[in-house]
Amino acid sequence: MTSSKEEGIQRLRKKHEVLRKKLHLRGHGSASLGAWFLGPKGENGDLLKDLVNHAIDVHVRDRGLRTYPEDPEWLTPARRHSRAYRQAEKHLRAELQNLVEALDGSVPFFSYRYQAHMLWDCTLPALVGYFAAMLYNQNNVAAEASPVTTHLERVVGDDLCGMIGYRVSQDDSGDPRPPSWGHITCDGSVANLESLWAARNAKYYPIAVAAALEQEAVLRPARGIVVQYQGEERALVDLDDWERLNLSLDEVLALPERIAEAFPDKQKLPDLAEIVKPYSLPELGFPEFLAKHELEGIGAPVVLAPATMHYSWPKGATLLGMGRGGLVPVAVDRDARMDLADLRRKLDECRAKRRPVLMVVAVAGSTVEGAVDPLVRILDLQSELRGEGFDFWVHADAAWGGYFASMLREPNLAGHEQDAGHAGVDYKMAMHHDEQDAGAALFGPSVAMSDYVEKQVAALGRADSVTIDPHKSGFVPYPAGGLCYRNSAARNLVTFAAPVVFKGDLDPSVGIFGVEGSKPGAAAAAVYLSHRVIRTDRSGYGRILGRCMFNHKRFYASLVTMASPEDNFRIVPVQRLPVERSSEEGSSKGGSAEGRPAGRRPTPEEIEACLRWLREDIAEGDNRTLIQKLRRDPQFKRAFRELGSDQLIITCAINFRREDGRWNTSLKALNDLNDEIYRELSVLNLSFEPPTTPIFVTSAELDPQTHGEEMVRDYLVRLGLEDAPLGTVKVLVLTTMDPWLTDTEEGNVIPRLIEGLRKVVQDKIEKGREDQRS
């Protein structure tokens, strides 16, 4: 006879099985980019209203007809016609009107003109998915409070893991890698913090397990368990503390399973978590942990991250009690990518001082420069040092760049199961017609990322964990960050299972893992519906980001050629011109670097030849002409792929001629000019009137203390300030997340934006001269 509790569990499991069949992310999505967004001018407004109204209608039906239809109403017609009700309704409508009028002053992220932060429009399915699920107010802290949206979060987590190259939990192809696990966080900062928390716990876990094995009689059968260290099998209890601190992550995560294998009779298997707890770092805290285990001669832990790291990393180090000294910045090169020589130098220092390295962070898309660190070489270095008995967790902070992996993922064009809710469409034909109509066959991955960036993005599946934010390059509403673990067991390092919110008899709720407690199920629903309609491969997000990258390269070419030789200013991008890159990078167009010694600066004639190529072959003309060139000329296509930044961001500064015709050599004057341009073109100028700002940009600083003296000095030389004292350079930042920018009803609108920027630059230079005269 089954208990009522067991019956309830069975009912929930049946419901989960229904959800798995109905709500999944297998197969293809839809084909038309035009149906994926509201549109820069609100062109799909009627469609959005229909979709939202449908969501409301279903929700109201749910309340009135499906949920206890025999229950009485409370809000009767008489109450709705009462004076108090009518006054309250009037008040609500008036206050809503006040609110929507105030919202007119919001930043127009959806506009062609917005080229500032990592923000653009949200996809239609994401908006509708969020709105529909929001009406039910599900809390993904526990499956009991969110049976549907918790399922969606699991599905989305698997899809994110699959997109970046991890083995997903449902994969039965014989892949020997451990299954991965991912979940939605409120943002990338929380994801980064969680990964750091997990890495710290993993680093010290073998110390606690070894102590429990040595001191707890109940674990006697497992005292002989072995681990792989430097390619050899060694008993965990025979390792010294330094060796235990440098086990590979997979060896650490396999310890519970190894101990369980020592107990053939599972009825006698002890509760390892409870036994190890009194010895563990999370339970004891650092001071007591260090005292209890007498870790003599071992220094404080450290995290290494590039100087371009997001501000969440020092936050995380502080929250974990490591202090800022526990976070060591690694220098970056002239392309704002992590300097491997400096990383190795700092790792060698840590090893010499016996400081455990919790994590090395590789950024896949820095927020100021759009730079991608050399993840492949970092992972190779991890493998090399592991063989020498020195190991660490590698985390890829791809909050911005993670979705670019969709550009490398082949679509599943086979028909998916005809489950309820999935329309049967001829996807291949729809995709063909959409591409033909848009003339966009080469907007996609084939012309997008450079060879270097493509290799780094393809290596995300080797990192131990990856931060990836749907609310950035996934075009999903806030809050929707994400964290993926290569080995799903890593989530157990940050588990807090409160009995009130977690019923151990059921599959674990996502809410017991990580930093957050309550979080909106609507966020998971938004990501799910967006991924269901726009697949995370070349057919969906890869096409959107491919268009964005195509437009970014055209924008870069237009921006750097904005000034003619006769103008009173010049614009210098941080992302170097092809002719300025070293000969090893193989630039072959626009003033080829081939034949020049590495490190030699190009001549003014070579610079001008490169700018002429960018202006005539890329900035000018229409998309169709450019696409034909890309199709005909493989060399031109290779050169085009190398243009601009690693990922959609252009960082630049503008210098000016003085009235005597000579170039400004004052860093302060240059910073003042760029600061004035930013103030004129920032969202600070928005009011409640229709916006008139010709183009929105944001600003940042290149600081020698942060970015390194070598990079900043090189940039000052390129700006013409070679004799200026080394100092902070104020720069303008433009991010191209608009896939329509060069393909509007009127064609390419970039020249319109460039002209607006050009006028502001010239006005600010003239104003500066007038101020000097007065």
Side-chain angles (χ1 to χ4, degrees), residues 403-421:
Y403 270 80
F404 287 79
S406 65
M407 300 163 74
L408 307 179
R409 191 180 182 193
E410 291 297 334
N412 179 0
L413 297 183
H416 55 70
E417 303 91 327
Q418 292 302 305
D419 295 317

Side-chain angles (χ1 to χ4, degrees), residues 750-762:
I750 291 176
R752 190 178 302 180
L753 309 187
I754 292 294
E755 185 54 38
L757 173 60
R758 178 188 178 86
K759 184 176 187 310
V760 169
V761 170
Q762 291 177 322

Side-chain angles (χ1 to χ4, degrees), residues 30 175 210 233 354 455 489 547 618 623 631 684:
S30 66
D175 190 334
E233 285 193 346
R354 290 170 69 85
K455 289 173 184 174
R547 281 176 174 255
I618 299 171
N623 282 346
R631 282 175 170 157
L684 301 176

Side-chain angles (χ1 to χ4, degrees), residues 306-322:
T308 54
M309 74 183 91
H310 188 258
Y311 59 79
S312 58
W313 290 105
K315 273 186 181 181
T318 304
L319 284 168
L320 287 179
M322 298 170 59

Side-chain angles (χ1 to χ4, degrees), residues 638-752:
R638 283 196 299 272
F640 183 82
R641 291 180 66 193
E642 300 298 321
L643 287 181
S645 77
D646 292 342
Q647 289 181 331
L648 303 186
I649 296 175
I650 306 173
T651 315
C652 60
I654 296 170
N655 201 4
F656 64 96
R657 291 185 191 273
R658 301 183 310 207
E659 286 199 271
D660 61 7
R662 299 166 66 183
W663 286 104
N664 164 63
T665 58
S666 164
L667 178 57
K668 180 182 183 305
L670 178 133
N671 283 342
D672 287 346
L673 172 63
N674 285 275
D675 202 35
E676 284 296 314
I677 294 169
Y678 160 68
R679 290 176 186 277
E680 182 72 20
L681 299 178
S682 77
V683 297
L684 301 176
N685 275 338
L686 279 176
S687 65
F688 293 103
E689 302 299 321
T692 57
T693 304
I695 179 174
F696 289 97
V697 305
T698 188
S699 68
E701 295 181 347
L702 300 184
D703 183 355
Q705 294 294 318
T706 301
H707 289 78
E709 294 185 6
E710 182 180 352
M711 179 199 176
V712 176
R713 170 56 67 195
D714 179 77
Y715 188 53
L716 286 172
V717 171
R718 291 169 54 215
L719 282 163
L721 276 68
E722 54 266 27
D723 297 326
L726 189 64
T728 297
V729 185
K730 293 190 176 183
V731 292
L732 305 174
V733 181
L734 301 90
T735 308
T736 310
M737 289 186 68
D738 187 331
W740 320 123
L741 202 57
T742 62
D743 191 36
T744 74
E745 179 186 19
E746 299 176 4
N748 181 11
V749 299
I750 291 176
R752 190 178 302 180

Side-chain angles (χ1 to χ4, degrees), residues 223-495:
R223 284 181 184 167
I225 64 166
V226 297
V227 293
Q228 285 283 333
Y229 181 72
Q230 287 188 273
E232 297 180 356
E233 285 193 346
R234 302 266 302 276
L236 179 65
V237 295
D238 291 341
L239 298 178
D240 64 30
D241 288 330
W242 179 251
E243 291 169 331
R244 291 168 185 160
L245 287 167
N246 284 285
L247 292 175
S248 73
L249 177 61
D250 288 344
E251 289 296 309
V252 172
L253 297 177
L255 288 175
E257 185 179 345
R258 301 261 171 85
I259 292 173
E261 289 170 353
F263 293 85
D265 185 353
K266 299 311 175 189
Q267 298 298 320
K268 296 181 180 180
L269 181 64
D271 187 339
L272 181 64
E274 287 301 313
I275 294 171
V276 173
K277 185 182 290 186
Y279 302 92
S280 70
L281 176 59
E283 183 73 10
L284 297 173
F286 258 121
E288 191 173 343
F289 180 87
L290 296 175
K292 186 179 185 72
H293 296 288
E294 299 178 347
L295 301 183
E296 295 181 4
I298 294 176
V302 65
V303 172
L304 302 177
T308 54
M309 74 183 91
H310 188 258
Y311 59 79
S312 58
W313 290 105
K315 273 186 181 181
T318 304
L319 284 168
L320 287 179
M322 298 170 59
R324 286 184 176 269
L327 182 66
V328 177
V330 180
V332 295
D333 62 18
R334 290 187 296 169
D335 294 308
R337 302 164 181 163
M338 182 186 280
D339 185 324
L340 262 294
D342 193 52
L343 173 62
R344 182 181 279 275
R345 208 162 29 241
K346 287 182 165 64
L347 286 170
D348 288 343
E349 290 173 4
C350 291
R351 179 161 51 169
K353 296 177 180 178
R354 290 170 69 85
R355 294 189 71 181
V357 176
L358 303 185
M359 175 183 282
V360 171
V361 179
V363 175
S366 56
T367 54
V368 171
E369 310 84 3
V372 174
D373 288 333
L375 179 59
V376 172
R377 293 178 62 193
I378 293 169
L379 290 164
D380 290 345
L381 182 58
Q382 179 196 37
S383 298
E384 175 190 332
L385 295 179
R386 177 178 295 148
E388 300 173 8
F390 185 58
D391 208 348
F392 45 84
W393 182 307
V394 172
H395 177 81
D397 185 355
W400 164 237
Y403 270 80
F404 287 79
S406 65
M407 300 163 74
L408 307 179
R409 191 180 182 193
E410 291 297 334
N412 179 0
L413 297 183
H416 55 70
E417 303 91 327
Q418 292 302 305
D419 295 317
H422 296 304
V425 294
D426 188 336
Y427 177 79
K428 290 183 180 179
M429 177 145 322
M431 179 122 176
H432 171 75
H433 283 306
D434 185 65
E435 292 287 21
Q436 290 300 310
D437 292 343
L442 283 186
F443 277 122
S446 61
V447 296
M449 292 186 285
S450 68
D451 288 338
Y452 165 83
V453 176
E454 187 171 305
K455 289 173 184 174
Q456 313 317 311
V457 173
L460 287 173
R462 292 172 55 197
D464 295 308
S465 56
V466 176
T467 292
I468 177 170
D469 283 1
H471 65 211
K472 287 190 174 71
S473 47
F475 303 93
V476 169
Y478 295 104
L483 177 64
C484 298
Y485 293 112
R486 178 182 55 78
N487 187 329
S488 60
R491 64 181 180 167
N492 298 322
L493 297 163
V494 287
T495 304

